[in-house]
Amino acid sequence: QKTDVPKPDKPAAPGAVARRSTRRGQTLDNFVVGPSNRMAHAAALRIAQEPTAQFNPLILYGPLGLGKTHLLRGIAQAAREQHRSLQVLYMSAEAFTNSFLEDMRGGRLATFRQRVRGADLLLIDDIQFFSAKRATQNELLHSFEALDAEAKQIVLATDQHPKLIEEFSEQLANRLLAGMACPLEPPDFDTRVGILDVKSQALGLHLNHDVLEFVASHFRTNVRELEGALHCLKGQAEFTRRSIDLVVAQQALAELMRHSTKTVSLKEVEQAICQAFEVKADQLRSPDRSRSVSQPRMLAMYLARKYTGAAYEAIGEHFGGRNHSTVMFAERKVQKWIDQGSSLLLAGR
């Protein structure tokens, strides 16, 4: 019997392999919990304890470096420890794509499906990688349906809310939206201090609380930025054979702090607005003048002017080829809302 094989996607970069093991040290126990990630951590714990399709799929979403991969690996590690007979499969979306295409071309599609659909707990990282890959999306959808029918848990991670991922098939997008989406946001000050405390101890770096607070005050974007600062301090301690006090930390991190205050890009402003208001980038660039689109668009232009350093013409061009006077009007309008304390989507009523 002939199998109806979809037209293959363009292959992903070589070298990505499915990962059954988790990175040493990334567990649910050493994940630092705060207001920005509490719900995501609680859901991860629940699934590790009872991986029986409670939230299918569980989707962890947020910008890079906020702990999505840590949680995925933590779930996999805890589930394996607590449920010895459980078949756990953790892989990146790139690895899923590469394996699917290679096995399809090699006539081993049944083997691929048996491995993926035979898992009791399937975890896939960076699913935005599936964007525009229709054949792989279709395979994921059918694998999802097969696993869900047997009450097997799926956990996915992505850099934005699944509703905002562009070029996903309608079927797959709707299926993802039926699950539970948990955001991870940049950590607040206290959480950053906690993260630094845990990670500095793991590095064998003994830092006073004033040093931890200094680092937390100057590196705010994500966990990777905090890790970079700690590695810099560790290198300083090893090379100079000096303990790290506040003065040494200030000197060692001076250059890193200068580069951490980078200019925000137009694309980053656009992504933030899309995530906050659940609109798509092409809507912001479209002629749509409805309030649900025009007000987020004006706010995007205002923030772009304030934080990117881009000229009015460049901002207008980015948001649908509009002229500089449109951007200037948006800037004045949003400033008026701020001055009056108006709520967005109520302004102008």
Side-chain angles (χ1 to χ4, degrees):
Q1 186 178 358
K2 249 185 179 178
T3 305
D4 182 17
V5 178
K7 182 178 178 181
D9 301 319
K10 182 179 179 181
V17 294
R19 293 168 288 184
R20 290 187 55 84
S21 61
T22 58
R23 182 179 293 177
R24 290 175 62 85
Q26 290 191 320
T27 69
L28 295 180
D29 290 337
N30 64 19
F31 185 87
V32 179
V33 182
S36 61
N37 57 29
R38 195 177 307 280
M39 184 170 71
H41 182 258
L45 275 176
R46 182 74 176 272
I47 283 175
Q49 293 164 358
E50 300 177 48
T52 53
Q54 300 169 73
F55 325 110
N56 236 359
L58 171 66
I59 302 175
L60 308 174
Y61 73 93
L64 294 173
L66 297 183
K68 301 184 298 296
T69 299
H70 187 147
L71 285 178
L72 285 185
R73 288 173 170 152
I75 292 170
Q77 182 264 349
R80 288 182 183 128
E81 285 189 355
Q82 296 176 38
H83 310 277
R84 296 291 183 178
S85 62
L86 203 71
Q87 293 296 313
V88 179
L89 180 60
Y90 165 57
M91 62 201 312
S92 68
E94 184 179 6
F96 183 100
T97 301
N98 283 341
S99 296
F100 167 58
L101 295 177
E102 289 168 10
D103 287 346
M104 181 175 65
R105 290 167 183 156
R108 302 182 300 273
L109 200 53
T111 302
F112 173 83
R113 288 173 175 165
Q114 183 178 9
R115 182 163 63 98
V116 173
R117 301 178 192 185
D120 299 304
L121 173 59
L122 176 65
L123 307 102
I124 304 179
D125 204 355
D126 294 323
I127 64 165
Q128 70 276 2
F129 184 82
F130 293 136
S131 181
K133 295 176 172 61
R134 293 292 176 170
T136 310
Q137 288 180 33
N138 192 50
E139 182 64 26
L140 176 64
L141 178 63
H142 289 303
S143 295
F144 187 104
E145 298 291 358
L147 290 166
D148 192 48
E150 297 183 25
K152 295 179 176 181
Q153 180 69 54
I154 299 103
V155 186
L156 309 171
T158 178
D159 62 0
Q160 58 187 317
H161 192 285
K163 185 176 181 180
L164 302 178
I165 303 176
E166 296 183 354
E167 296 190 75
F168 258 32
S169 70
E170 186 176 356
Q171 278 184 302
L172 180 57
N174 287 338
R175 196 66 185 84
L176 296 181
L177 290 172
M180 177 180 180
C182 294
L184 287 93
E185 299 172 344
D188 63 8
F189 176 77
D190 289 337
T191 306
R192 294 197 301 275
V193 171
I195 291 169
L196 289 165
D197 190 23
V198 169
K199 291 189 175 292
S200 63
Q201 290 183 43
L203 288 171
L205 191 61
H206 304 291
L207 301 177
N208 294 329
H209 198 70
D210 57 347
V211 176
L212 295 177
E213 289 191 340
F214 169 75
V215 178
S217 298
H218 290 85
F219 299 91
R220 308 183 185 112
T221 305
N222 57 48
V223 179
R224 292 178 188 175
E225 195 175 53
L226 297 174
E227 288 176 330
L230 288 178
H231 286 132
C232 183
L233 293 179
K234 182 174 175 62
Q236 179 76 10
E238 290 179 350
F239 297 148
T240 64
R241 298 185 181 277
R242 293 175 60 189
S243 60
I244 303 295
D245 59 19
L246 184 56
V247 173
V248 173
Q250 290 170 338
Q251 294 171 344
L253 297 175
E255 186 69 8
L256 199 59
M257 286 190 294
R258 187 172 68 83
H259 289 293
S260 72
T261 57
K262 68 180 184 66
T263 302
V264 177
S265 70
L266 289 170
K267 185 68 175 176
E268 287 171 326
V269 170
E270 180 181 82
Q271 288 174 341
I273 291 295
C274 287
Q275 184 169 332
F277 295 95
E278 297 189 358
V279 296
K280 293 189 175 181
D282 57 4
Q283 288 179 283
L284 294 180
R285 300 172 188 177
S286 73
D288 190 343
R289 296 176 63 84
S290 64
R291 184 171 294 172
S292 62
V293 175
S294 66
Q295 290 194 349
R297 182 193 296 128
M298 283 192 281
L299 180 58
M301 292 179 177
Y302 171 86
L303 293 174
R305 183 62 184 165
K306 185 170 183 178
Y307 293 108
T308 68
Y312 288 115
E313 291 80 2
I315 296 170
E317 183 62 30
H318 183 85
F319 291 102
R322 291 170 165 82
N323 59 37
H324 74 281
S325 60
T326 302
V327 181
M328 293 174 69
F329 172 81
E331 187 179 28
R332 290 194 300 268
K333 189 77 171 176
V334 173
Q335 189 60 56
K336 183 179 179 182
W337 295 341
I338 293 171
D339 293 340
Q340 294 177 345
S342 301
S343 298
L344 203 61
L345 303 181
L346 294 177
R349 287 186 178 179

